[in-house]
Amino acid sequence: MATVKIPADLETVLNDAWEVTREVPGHLAENEARFLGLLAACAPAKGTIVEIGSFKGRSTVMLAKVASHYSLGPIVAIDPHNSPILLDHHANPEASSYQDFLDSIHAAGVSNHVESHLAYSTEAANSWNRPHPTLVD
């Protein structure tokens, strides 16, 4: 049975990650971002962290900052970046948040820790072939 280990430096890591994350446009609140960071830092296994829905990258940056600090696997960000809820397709039928997403992860210095999939999750699942994670003792 895996146990949850809270890293001794977690508060500092979350503070540092939030300072970068807060500069990214998006709807994720600070407490939500810190919770995602906590989940990433305390994952009972090492491996890929999959994020479905990235918009402009706010949650992606938080996850990547924490994951890179603790040498966890990459963040796989899956999003078609064409949400009719978040983007104004009436003004621009080709509207996309993808370039904003790329700009955000680059500005935050985490692009080398993020693997972006410009797709719906169902499309990405069809070609998913990653191994299951191994529990950390």
Side-chain angles (χ1 to χ4, degrees), residues 41-135:
C42 297
K46 290 200 177 206
T48 301
I49 296 172
V50 177
E51 174 187 50
I52 298 174
S54 305
F55 190 44
K56 294 186 179 185
R58 195 169 211 187
S59 55
T60 313
V61 166
M62 185 67 170
L63 288 168
K65 287 301 241 182
V66 173
S68 64
H69 176 83
Y70 292 115
S71 300
L72 302 173
I75 307 305
V76 174
I78 302 169
D79 194 314
H81 292 281
N82 64 358
S83 170
I85 296 168
L86 300 172
L87 301 169
D88 185 359
H89 287 281
H90 293 295
N92 177 4
E94 302 299 315
S96 173
S97 58
Y98 191 56
Q99 189 59 54
D100 290 335
F101 171 81
L102 293 175
D103 292 345
S104 295
I105 63 171
H106 178 74
V110 296
S111 53
N112 64 337
H113 209 78
V114 175
E115 180 183 315
S116 175
H117 290 262
L118 187 59
Y120 287 99
S121 59
T122 53
E123 296 165 357
N126 288 334
S127 62
W128 189 262
N129 61 3
R130 307 269 171 114
H132 295 287
T134 304
L135 293 178

